[in-house]
Amino acid sequence: MTADGHFKVPTPVNEPIRAYTPGDPNRKTLKSRLAELTDARTDVPMQIGGERRWGASKSDIRSPHRKELSIAQVAVGARKDFADAIDAALEARRMWAATSYQERAAVLLRAAALLAGPWRDTINAATMLGQSKTVHQAEIDAACETIDFWRYNAYFGDQLLTQQPSNDGSAWNRLEFRPLEGFVFAVSPFNFTSIAGNLPMAAALMGNTVVFKPATQTLLVCHFLMELLNEAGLPPGVVNMVSGSAADISEQVLAHPGLAGIHFTGSTEVFQGMWREVGQNIDRYRTYPRLVGETGGKDFIVAHPSADPDALRTALMRGAFEYQGQKCSAASRAYIPQSIWKDLRTELAEKVDAIPQGDVADFRNFMGAVIDGKAYAKHMGAIQFAQKSEDAKVIAGGKGDDTVGWFVRPTVIETKNPEFKLLREELFGPILTIYPYADAKYEETLDLCDRTSPYGLTGAIFARDRGAIRKASETLVNAAGNFYINDKPTGAVVGLQPFGGARASGTNDKAGSFLNLIRWTSPRTIKETYVPPVDHRYPYMDAE
Ligand code: NAD
């Protein structure tokens, strides 16, 4: 027997952020879990159709701030594994699509509660160790944002189902929210554990099954996320985690006729490559794949002469250097009026040079290491480029140290050239380039900011003058999908500031909102007529 009821997903609230201050018991348990994982060299197999698999070979992943420390042994999959992952997703699809929304949402809500409670230390510690996040950065991302994604999406998806057409009395019109016809490919970046938690699960919530390829650097925490989801009751085959060469996995997955969608977050270049490949394969697919990608940014802060200099300085420091500037939303260029810059310059440089940086297990640090040797070389190259350039001056930082880990000092560069390369290109590191502008040229500077880079992700205006705020909002209307007034351009919270940008920054489908969930459903309209007509003739055809 089945019983019916209109169930409502509980109204979500944002997960409170733990402070981990000295003496806080949560600090002690987290530190002890961090110490355990540091010594554990965890095994990280793939998970395909519920089976743990090692694939062709194994490799090590290392901690960015202790580059000799192997934190996990991870599976390197081969063609057969990737084919099996697609098959497992397609096989599980029938069962999962037939599972009610309420039951699917229940898995996410239980997962959120497990993460808020017994799994919190593990997920935070694995993120600190694997991605070199400080305790605060791990807490707001790996714990709170992941929990918020799962809770809010369960709620938003429920609201989506209530969107129904009108009825005129002759029929009952209904909208059914079907999963896409095929499987979804979820590909996540290194920099946010919450994105790894969200990309596969947003699609799965709407009834889809998924081949999930996390960034290699995050495999330790993704292994624990998968174990947590298993414990929450996610059936085998709904999310199939694969690892190995991204290009090989992608080539195989994108060539499959059953590809129904891509949920991607990462660099613009990789997303554009995937889009191109989908285009080339377009006649193979059973259905047009949904392409959802959140990609790069060259996020800005513009200050007006009426800005509060202390608020501006704090936003520059937190916005540019938290998590080593490796946030898609990190402030990496700023336009500051010369009247403010003349005093701010020295103060900012002194404060930036005093930022404590090192092993994130030492809670006194504000910054850890950048993700790997490739990132380190790229950032040091950009800094050296600025040091050699006649257009620029490095006024803080400018150094790196790769003896123990990949440490790049937070760096501030001042330039007199508004077209300077480092004002245009995404670096994804702790490097902030500042263009001091003549106070009288505020409006021209807004235009300059708008046209200087191809991205459109986040940006901020600092001003007390209302007219200046209005002008910035208007001129920069397409320059950022997340626009901040008197706040730093990072730190979007699920349910409060839906996140995403357009231009070269992505498809702007706003992660953690109903706008994103819409992409993972293919609605069917049903018209059920009460009394169907029984004569094909219309009255106008009657004789005069
Ligand atoms: P990346 O593009 O190098 O990697 C992202 C993912 O794509 C990884 O899983 C990687 O293994 C995979 N990948 C790499 N090559 C591939 C290929 N040829 N085919 C298919 N998949 C491939 O990005 P990253 O270094 O992990 O992350 C940093 C980038 O992500 C930055 O550009 C940043 O701005 C962006 N990002 C954007 C957002 C957003 O919401 N807009 C959020 C976080 C990160």
Side-chain angles (χ1 to χ4, degrees), residues 300-304 306-308 311-312 315-316 442 446 457-477 480-492 496-497:
F300 58 83
I301 293 181
V302 179
H304 180 258
S306 67
D308 172 348
L312 174 63
L316 288 168
Y442 176 62
L446 293 175
L457 194 52
T458 76
I461 168 73
F462 275 77
R464 283 183 274 217
D465 177 321
R466 208 60 231 176
I469 293 172
R470 191 183 328 114
K471 187 72 203 158
S473 298
E474 285 165 12
T475 308
L476 299 171
V477 66
N482 283 57
F483 186 65
Y484 294 82
I485 299 168
N486 292 321
D487 205 342
K488 65 183 168 56
T490 58
L496 306 187
Q497 297 96 21

Side-chain angles (χ1 to χ4, degrees), residues 302-305 335-339 341 435-443 445 448:
V302 179
H304 180 258
Y335 301 84
I336 299 180
Q338 285 161 0
S339 59
W341 185 239
Y435 175 68
Y437 69 88
D439 284 39
K441 293 201 166 168
Y442 176 62
E443 295 195 6
T445 303
L448 173 71

Side-chain angles (χ1 to χ4, degrees), residues 46 55-57 75-86 183 185 187 211-214 216 242-256 259 270 273-274 277 281 284:
M46 294 177 284
S57 58
V76 180
R79 286 194 77 80
K80 166 95 174 73
D81 303 303
F82 311 145
D84 289 350
I86 297 170
F183 67 93
F185 186 32
V187 183
V211 174
F212 171 38
K213 206 228 70 78
T216 304
V242 293
S243 49
S245 154
D248 290 353
I249 297 169
S250 187
E251 189 199 335
Q252 206 169 330
V253 169
L254 301 193
H256 197 284
L259 178 76
V270 169
M274 290 169 101
E277 217 165 312
N281 291 332
R284 290 191 188 191

Side-chain angles (χ1 to χ4, degrees), residues 56-115:
S57 58
K58 295 177 180 179
S59 73
D60 281 292
I61 53 171
R62 295 171 191 282
S63 189
H65 46 268
R66 287 175 64 182
K67 60 184 195 175
E68 296 307 323
L69 177 74
S70 168
I71 54 169
Q73 243 198 332
V74 306
V76 180
R79 286 194 77 80
K80 166 95 174 73
D81 303 303
F82 311 145
D84 289 350
I86 297 170
D87 288 347
L90 291 173
E91 171 66 28
R93 185 182 175 276
R94 263 171 275 141
M95 168 278 301
W96 190 237
T99 304
S100 69
Y101 181 84
Q102 159 220 336
E103 285 183 278
R104 298 196 305 261
V107 173
L108 268 79
L109 295 178
R110 178 163 152 74
L114 288 170
L115 178 48

